Amino acid sequence: MSKSVLGLRIRHWLVLLALIGLVGWVGTQTHHFTQAAPREQESGGVSAAGGLDYARSLSKTFREVANRVLPSVVLIENIPASGKPSEGAEEDSDETDPFGGTPFGDMFRNHPELRRFFRDLPRGMPRGEVYGVGSGIIIDPSGIILTNNHVVEGSGKINVRLHDGREFKATEIKRDPKTDLAIVRIKGADDLKAAKFGDSDKMEVGDWVLALGEMFNLEGTVTAGIISSKGRSLGPQTRADFLQTDAAINPGSSGGPLINLDGEVIGINTAIHTRTGANQGVGFAIPSNLAKWVAEQLIKTGTVKRAYLGVVIQPLTQQLAEQFGVRAREGILVGDVQPNSPAAEAGIKPGDLILKYEGKPVNSTQQLVGLVDRSPIGEKANLEIIRDGKRMTIAVTLREQPADYGVAMRGFGGGRGGRSDSAKVDKLGVQVDNLTKEVAEQLGLKAGDGVVVTDVAPGSVADRAGLEPGMVITQVNRKPVKSVEDFKKAVTAQPLSKGVLLLIRTPEGSRFIAIRAED
């Protein structure tokens, strides 16, 4: 056999052996892959099963918590003796009916409580026609029920229907309009189950909550959501630092409980924010710590006693913070101090920045109001403040809040310009005049204690900052102004690009406004 033939056969055998090896390797890998696939599928199955188990566990928690608290939830009917809204209630009209002219109009005519709940809620509390249906929560087995004031206000008959269907007439009602809370008593009901209060201060954004109540007169309704924000204000006339939730709150929910996953009441459902008349995922509840404090006083004495400082306060916006040389929301700004008040006697002054109250940082007006309200009357409270850039602590002896505290003066009117001694500052878009004796008396001032705004140009920097005709400017850049000339000199003393800090006075008191304009 020739060498060339032998070499060729050897090469053929080598190729054949290589092919056999490759086939064996592929078979091995194929076996490996086919064995691995079930394990990966099994792993995926375990993950899916784990997620399903978690969902079932959460569902079970919702179910158990709801079943535990629902027996404590009641339906409250407010039925005027005449069968009509009481004197002073708003008249029905398409203007106040968000569904006027639609098929839902009849529903609102037959259920006026829905109309009350949906009216222009972004501006504050639901307005109180004293006819409707709401919810309540039993807080004592003797027959004490906590609800909203707007659910029971008026002189109508209050009927309470328990979760088991029994009905009772309220024998006593104690109300606190300032917090929109009320206590209702019923007698003769046995086997009542009281709900347990939780600590609303421990709730955090993202925590699961359930809202319980008699929504749309559908008894025993439960909705789920989370705490979506804390410390919300619904307007200057409200005193609660509201919890915000996306758990559905609807007409009839008012007065019902917002509960945590431990079945504890951490809020009292009160209002919704809506532009359509339907739930849009923004509801508000009075925190349980405030509700419990109010309820205890109503039960014990029938009234709520609050402490007060006697200051007009405002949030520290970015523009104001720049003028005072601090960070935005680093405290609360004092705009005015009422004469003979605890704050005045302690030496608090307009322009002071309150950083802490009794060692607790404050960054919203509602937070400070809540802390002061619930402080012991007659005892001292320490306020950490900044005054003219210097930190100091001032002790204030608190007194009981007067019954008419916060009631604004009436009859104030500014009048527009036209007098020869008026001045117009075009860059600000404002016209001012010397303060007349009549306007000064209405504001508790003396003629010459500032200048009155007589005109504000629409769209100007003054307009955007909130200046309005009738406001009195008493300071410019922390210096008093007593005449039109003082005002003109003060606002032109430095470039307007650096901003102008005004202290203005209205019937509601004084507050600061920061205005910035381009030179």
Side-chain angles (χ1 to χ4, degrees):
M1 182 180 295
S2 66
K3 291 183 178 181
S4 61
V5 174
L6 179 61
L8 182 60
R9 287 183 175 180
I10 291 173
R11 284 195 297 273
H12 286 167
W13 280 104
L14 290 174
V15 171
L16 180 61
L17 290 173
L19 288 173
I20 293 171
L22 179 61
V23 171
W25 180 84
V26 170
T28 302
Q29 295 304 312
T30 301
H31 175 74
H32 170 75
F33 292 145
T34 56
Q35 292 297 315
R39 286 197 294 272
E40 290 177 1
Q41 293 173 1
E42 181 181 354
S43 175
V46 170
S47 178
L52 187 58
D53 287 343
Y54 175 78
R56 285 171 174 163
S57 175
L58 185 61
S59 177
K60 181 180 179 181
T61 299
F62 286 168
R63 181 171 64 250
E64 291 178 349
V65 168
N67 288 335
R68 191 188 318 161
V69 181
L70 275 173
S72 302
V73 180
V74 304
L75 181 145
I76 298 177
E77 294 177 301
N78 189 337
I79 308 171
S82 63
K84 299 178 181 179
S86 68
E87 183 179 355
E90 300 176 42
E91 294 295 326
D92 299 344
S93 70
D94 288 344
E95 291 183 0
T96 56
D97 186 345
F99 296 118
T102 74
F104 291 98
D106 289 338
M107 178 178 73
F108 275 87
R109 279 189 290 273
N110 294 330
H111 297 279
E113 76 278 2
L114 306 190
R115 190 163 44 251
R116 176 197 67 229
F117 200 92
F118 282 131
R119 281 182 190 152
D120 202 16
L121 286 177
R123 293 191 300 181
M125 298 295 220
R127 301 190 212 179
E129 287 183 4
V130 290
Y131 182 90
V133 177
S135 303
I137 183 74
I138 300 171
I139 59 173
D140 189 281
S142 66
I144 300 176
I145 298 164
L146 178 63
T147 186
N148 281 140
N149 172 67
H150 74 261
V151 171
V152 297
E153 66 182 339
S155 57
K157 179 177 67 175
I158 303 300
N159 188 60
V160 176
R161 186 185 306 162
L162 305 181
H163 186 65
D164 59 15
R166 290 180 293 166
E167 295 189 13
F168 298 87
K169 293 180 181 179
T171 59
E172 185 181 23
I173 300 171
K174 298 296 183 182
R175 305 187 296 115
D176 182 45
K178 288 186 176 180
T179 53
D180 195 30
L181 290 169
I183 288 295
V184 175
R185 290 180 186 265
I186 59 175
K187 292 183 178 180
D190 54 7
D191 299 326
L192 294 181
K193 182 178 180 181
K196 180 182 178 182
F197 280 109
D199 187 349
S200 53
D201 289 343
K202 292 183 178 179
M203 298 301 295
E204 299 293 341
V205 173
D207 287 347
W208 279 104
V209 288
L210 301 180
L212 283 62
E214 320 299 339
M215 305 179 192
F216 298 108
N217 211 359
L218 300 173
E219 299 181 46
T221 299
V222 180
T223 58
I226 62 169
I227 295 295
S228 50
S229 187
K230 298 175 64 177
R232 290 297 193 199
S233 170
L234 296 190
Q237 301 305 316
T238 61
R239 306 192 75 81
D241 219 6
F242 288 86
L243 297 174
Q244 181 180 314
T245 179
D246 65 351
I249 296 176
N250 287 294
S253 298
S254 292
L258 189 70
I259 63 175
N260 60 21
L261 294 189
D262 292 321
E264 299 170 330
V265 177
I266 52 87
I268 300 299
N269 304 324
T270 298
I272 60 173
H273 193 311
T274 177
R275 297 186 179 184
T276 65
N279 178 272
Q280 292 183 303
V282 183
F284 303 97
I286 299 169
S288 60
N289 289 354
L290 173 60
K292 183 179 179 181
W293 177 78
V294 171
E296 288 174 346
Q297 292 200 67
L298 290 177
I299 292 169
K300 186 176 181 179
T301 66
T303 60
V304 178
K305 293 184 178 181
R306 297 176 170 86
Y308 87 114
L309 289 175
V311 294
V312 177
I313 54 177
Q314 60 186 110
L316 199 61
T317 64
Q318 177 65 38
Q319 292 80 8
L320 288 172
E322 290 174 358
Q323 297 299 316
F324 282 89
V326 295
R327 296 190 303 271
R329 298 185 180 180
E330 186 183 1
I332 298 300
L333 180 59
V334 176
D336 199 7
V337 179
Q338 296 180 339
N340 304 316
S341 66
E345 293 173 358
I348 300 293
K349 298 179 179 180
D352 286 347
L353 297 176
I354 301 176
L355 304 179
K356 294 181 179 180
Y357 181 86
E358 283 292 278
K360 187 172 184 177
V362 291
N363 52 31
S364 75
T365 57
Q366 292 297 115
Q367 181 187 17
L368 180 59
V369 168
L371 290 172
V372 174
D373 277 358
R374 286 177 271 175
S375 295
I377 296 171
E379 296 187 11
K380 289 186 177 182
N382 291 317
L383 276 65
E384 184 177 326
I385 70 169
I386 293 180
R387 178 182 295 167
D388 298 327
K390 299 179 180 179
R391 288 180 179 256
M392 61 182 70
T393 298
I394 294 182
V396 181
T397 301
L398 303 174
R399 298 202 301 268
E400 183 179 346
Q401 188 180 116
D404 60 350
Y405 183 69
V407 177
M409 295 169 59
R410 303 298 179 189
F412 173 72
R416 293 185 177 268
R419 289 174 42 165
S420 60
D421 54 354
S422 65
K424 187 174 183 180
V425 181
D426 291 330
K427 288 187 177 181
L428 293 181
V430 64
Q431 184 167 327
V432 299
D433 206 340
N434 287 321
L435 185 62
T436 66
K437 181 179 179 181
E438 179 183 1
V439 173
E441 288 177 351
Q442 292 184 48
L443 291 171
L445 299 172
K446 296 182 295 183
D449 284 350
V451 294
V452 63
V453 177
T454 57
D455 197 18
V456 178
S460 65
V461 290
D463 185 32
R464 294 196 297 271
L467 277 182
E468 298 177 358
M471 290 180 170
V472 174
I473 300 172
T474 59
Q475 289 184 11
V476 176
N477 293 329
R478 305 299 305 277
K479 295 182 179 179
V481 292
K482 296 183 178 296
S483 67
V484 168
E485 286 302 314
D486 285 350
F487 177 77
K488 289 173 62 178
K489 290 178 181 179
V491 298
T492 57
Q494 67 180 32
L496 294 181
S497 59
K498 292 185 177 180
V500 177
L501 182 65
L502 306 178
L503 180 60
I504 62 101
R505 188 172 178 87
T506 70
E508 286 73 35
S510 296
R511 71 176 187 273
F512 287 93
I513 290 180
I515 301 178
R516 184 185 295 276
E518 295 182 1
D519 285 329

